[in-house]
Amino acid sequence: MREWVRSIVHALESGRPVELVAVTESSGSTPRGSGALMAVFPGGRALGTIGGGNVEYEAQRLAAELLERGGCESRRFRFVQGDAASLGMVCGGDVTVRFQYLPAGDDGAIAALRDLMEASAGNLDTWLVLNVQEDGAVLGTADRNGPRHLENPPKDLSALLQNRPALSGGWLAVPMVRAGRVYIFGGGHVSRALVPAIAAVGFRPVVYDDRPEFADPALFPQAEAVLSGDFTKIGEQISLTADDYVVIMTRGHQADYEVLEQTLRSGVKYLGCIGSRKKLALCRERLLAAGFTAEEYAAVHAPIGLAIGAETPEEIAVSVAAELIAVRAGVQGSGERR
């Protein structure tokens, strides 16, 4: 997201307009749903995707035309085989796409987009808010405290600030920055595969290991931070919130237990622990003996990851990333890898 926004800001500040392309509504089976975003630049270069295939080809073509004349438009694309207005695809649905012209040097758009870039470095849910009815560029941002960069904001902002993209009253809100970090305890092979996998889909990984050679930032270039410390004292460097995710992948049973003991009652959004059935059973027994309840332990995703038959570190990383995405989207996903 940050690079996508930065590219738009750079173009606008360099004297080049941009056509912002957004899926506002979708029904049936479609390549991408509401909130999918793409930017088209002079010369035809495009960043982002609204689904690929014919719909994206036609959208890029129309965006280039609108960019030439500074136009805004909404267009419906159908995916019904044999329909005169269809794109020759057989998905069986349709999408409405908004084409929003952003003039070169537009101070309002630049300010809103820069706000998104700054928000990505913070820890607060932030939405891109777009008026999909006005011909002029009406672009702003919002968080739970209210709208920004909008002279006449939506009347019912709360209806827009959802976990997924939302359309209401002629406004589209797309969640762009998600609060919370993914704290990965253990810097081994699976962690090295997991960090780039989750960073690519908008999570903010932080790696923690008690071995300095495994807590090397050079091993995790996509991580927001890499920390080294005692597994029995993670609170000295980490303060967990209800928006955070905890992934436990330490080198052994004892360290797993130490981290679980400190995080089981933290109220985090997700708590998962890698390991065999035997190791996990031992952790559970020790935690119950220490005063934790079976209901508290039931919140742990163990074995970690979705059941896709993962074996290698890279495959396990995919299964864990998928489970994190499911939890973030409100689709409870858990299960064994085998």
Side-chain angles (χ1 to χ4, degrees), residues 208-264:
Y208 185 108
D209 202 293
D210 62 345
R211 300 162 293 179
E213 66 272 23
F214 283 78
D216 183 352
L219 299 174
F220 302 96
Q222 298 92 345
E224 184 174 282
V226 181
L227 308 173
S228 181
D230 193 322
F231 278 128
T232 65
K233 301 176 181 178
I234 64 174
E236 292 182 356
Q237 298 188 68
I238 294 172
S239 295
L240 296 173
T241 74
D243 294 314
D244 293 326
Y245 305 72
V246 169
V247 176
I248 302 173
M249 296 181 164
T250 76
R251 65 182 180 276
H253 163 72
Q254 180 60 31
D256 287 348
Y257 172 81
E258 291 164 353
V259 177
L260 276 169
E261 187 180 37
Q262 297 168 81
T263 58
L264 196 53

Side-chain angles (χ1 to χ4, degrees), residues 117-228:
M117 291 170 61
E118 293 172 4
S120 69
N123 197 27
L124 191 67
D125 289 330
T126 307
W127 287 258
L128 175 68
V129 182
L130 178 68
N131 190 316
V132 297
Q133 293 181 335
E134 298 286 342
D135 285 341
V138 183
L139 187 71
T141 62
D143 58 32
R144 302 292 184 189
N145 297 316
R148 299 190 293 275
H149 312 291
L150 291 170
E151 292 185 7
N152 297 299
K155 293 181 180 179
D156 188 6
L157 188 63
S158 61
L160 290 166
L161 304 188
Q162 305 297 323
N163 190 42
R164 294 174 176 268
L167 180 70
S168 178
W171 292 86
L172 175 70
V174 182
M176 299 291 282
V177 179
R178 311 274 190 165
R181 297 176 173 88
V182 181
Y183 289 97
I184 303 170
F185 293 94
H189 294 297
V190 179
S191 297
R192 293 178 201 175
L194 180 60
V195 167
I198 62 175
V201 292
F203 288 101
R204 302 160 61 194
V206 175
V207 179
Y208 185 108
D209 202 293
D210 62 345
R211 300 162 293 179
E213 66 272 23
F214 283 78
D216 183 352
L219 299 174
F220 302 96
Q222 298 92 345
E224 184 174 282
V226 181
L227 308 173
S228 181

Side-chain angles (χ1 to χ4, degrees), residues 49-73:
T49 178
I50 61 168
N54 286 346
V55 64
E56 190 155 299
Y57 172 80
E58 291 296 327
Q60 288 182 12
R61 183 186 61 79
L62 179 55
E65 293 178 4
L66 291 168
L67 194 58
E68 285 289 327
R69 64 176 189 265
C72 300
E73 185 176 319

